[in-house]
Amino acid sequence: MATPKKFFHDRIVLLLLSINAFLALAGSIIILLRINPDPGATYAVQYRARLGLNAFSSGSSTEIMSFVLFSVLVFGFHFFLSRRIYPIKRHFAIAFLSLGTLLLTLSIVVSNALLLY
């Protein structure tokens, strides 16, 4: 019978953890560098297509900073749960880390789209 791998000895898991850490860090740095430190600055924080010309809702920089918190929480949540799932089902843990990669990528895309407007 084959001996089970440990979580940090699995190369695919380490690759996905590295990608997720890079995406969370890069997304946070990109957002922090694009934030204007002026307290009166407003940003587009929501897009509602049904509103027509007023489709973008404006908000303060703290609402944009929530994307940084979101990235950190996504990375931590997916790391914690995949580590807990790994001894039971390795493939589920890898799929869970892959979904974290997708979620972090979409978070970067959405935050950049809102910061461009």
Side-chain angles (χ1 to χ4, degrees), residues 39-55:
T42 59
Y43 300 95
V45 293
Q46 291 182 2
Y47 176 76
R48 302 286 183 214
R50 62 179 169 77
L51 294 178
L53 295 176
N54 296 326

Side-chain angles (χ1 to χ4, degrees), residues 24 66-79 104:
S66 64
F67 278 103
V68 174
L69 179 65
F70 178 74
S71 296
V72 171
L73 287 177
V74 165
F75 175 71
F77 181 72
H78 282 88
F79 170 72
L104 287 169

Side-chain angles (χ1 to χ4, degrees), residues 7 11 27 36 50-51 55 80:
F7 184 74
R11 290 183 181 168
N36 189 358
R50 62 179 169 77
L51 294 178
F80 176 73

Side-chain angles (χ1 to χ4, degrees), residues 25-38:
L25 186 65
S28 300
I29 289 174
I30 289 170
I31 292 169
L32 291 174
L33 288 176
R34 296 180 89 184
I35 294 288
N36 189 358
D38 183 27

Side-chain angles (χ1 to χ4, degrees), residues 10-36:
D10 195 343
R11 290 183 181 168
I12 296 174
V13 169
L14 285 178
L15 175 70
L16 288 171
L17 280 175
S18 300
I19 290 171
N20 286 351
F22 173 75
L23 287 174
L25 186 65
S28 300
I29 289 174
I30 289 170
I31 292 169
L32 291 174
L33 288 176
R34 296 180 89 184
I35 294 288
N36 189 358

